[in-house]
Amino acid sequence: MAPDPWVELRRRTAARIALGRTGGSQPTRGQLEFRLAHARARDAVLSAFDAPGLAARLGGLAVESAAAGRAEYLQRPDLGRTLSPASRALLTREAAGRAACDLVIVVSDGLSNLAVETQAAPLLQALLPLLHASGWSFAPIVVAQNGRVALQDEIGEILRASLSLMLLGERPGLGNADSLGAYFTYHPRPGRTDAERNCVSNIREGGLSPADAAVKLHWLLEQARRREVSGVLLKDEAPAAALPGGEAKPQPIVKML
């Protein structure tokens, strides 16, 4: 009997393929795997996020979006793109005693608290030394509860940062629920469009590791600062030596949000 090619394909991907069948239905194992993956995705979205605790560990500031709670955050994406009045006042006071800076880093739960808990710290541990060695100046790290990508624009403008970088939990799928996205924008300010920001996505073990993502982000952020652009005007054209393990393949790294 010829070997089933689907068996080998399934070994190479977390996608739900080659599940088999029992009569006209899925096997029990496939049904149970689906229910487990769905439960993990729900937990990633709905689990509590300790923004003050993470901010204390990172030596940063904890803020909230205008969404009053998780339910409103999920139902009103627009509220996740702006700060609450109290958080806006907090950052305004913080900015009054500080000079302008090169970069503000924002960390937010987004749609996966699990992604932030597992990937954010390793990514920062790898990225920050690279940026410090390149002479970057920083605002305090901002940890935002119930944030959407565009929240970085308001935060970056208030703290007078030339660039904003947001580490955000990505929408979980049925293959993984711990994927982190890194979004950055040159000259952040409210009203920036998705075409004016870049994204490095699928940061996780099994995807793009935090260490490799740090190398890629460092190169891209350096180019954004030097060329004063981001988004569709900035392509991933790093030489092979600047990329984690592999040949340089120029390609856009823009992801529509």
Side-chain angles (χ1 to χ4, degrees), residues 13-242:
T13 178
R16 295 182 56 77
I17 63 172
L19 299 179
R21 64 188 177 91
T22 300
S25 304
Q26 285 189 17
T28 300
R29 179 176 178 176
Q31 288 282 357
L32 292 176
E33 288 176 347
F34 174 85
R35 292 175 66 179
L36 177 60
H38 187 258
R40 285 173 172 165
R42 285 179 58 86
D43 286 348
V45 173
L46 299 176
S47 61
F49 178 53
D50 182 12
L54 180 57
R57 294 196 298 274
L58 297 176
L61 302 169
V63 301
E64 298 175 337
S65 75
R70 200 62 176 168
E72 188 171 54
Y73 169 78
L74 294 173
Q75 295 168 6
R76 290 283 306 275
D78 57 309
L79 296 179
R81 300 183 184 117
T82 61
L83 290 166
S84 69
S87 294
R88 188 179 302 111
L90 171 66
L91 293 185
T92 300
R93 290 193 300 270
E94 179 68 25
R98 292 182 176 273
C101 61
D102 294 320
L103 180 67
V104 59
I105 297 174
V106 183
V107 182
S108 182
D109 47 355
L111 290 171
S112 176
N113 180 30
L114 178 63
V116 176
E117 289 181 345
T118 55
Q119 321 301 348
L123 176 58
L124 290 173
Q125 288 168 1
L127 177 61
L128 288 176
L130 298 175
L131 295 173
H132 280 295
S134 299
W136 286 65
S137 60
F138 302 88
I141 293 175
V142 177
V143 180
Q145 188 143 16
N146 292 327
R148 300 279 179 174
V149 173
L151 188 65
Q152 67 176 311
D153 298 332
E154 184 178 7
I155 293 172
E157 182 181 56
I158 292 172
L159 294 176
R160 291 179 289 160
S162 297
L163 279 146
S164 60
L165 169 65
M166 190 169 208
L167 308 182
L168 188 80
E170 295 186 312
R171 181 181 293 105
L174 292 177
N176 69 83
D178 62 347
S179 178
L180 189 75
Y183 303 79
F184 66 88
T185 309
Y186 181 77
H187 192 189
R189 64 182 186 275
R192 283 297 199 191
T193 67
D194 293 341
E196 295 172 296
R197 67 180 99 250
N198 297 74
C199 173
V200 176
S201 64
N202 197 31
I203 300 172
R204 62 183 182 92
E205 297 302 335
L208 181 65
S209 73
D212 288 347
V215 174
K216 182 180 287 288
L217 280 168
H218 177 245
W219 189 90
L220 286 165
L221 288 168
E222 283 282 288
Q223 294 300 308
R225 181 173 68 160
R226 181 177 65 83
R227 295 163 57 182
E228 300 184 347
V229 295
S230 61
V232 296
L233 298 177
L234 179 64
K235 308 298 182 183
D236 185 358
E237 299 171 334

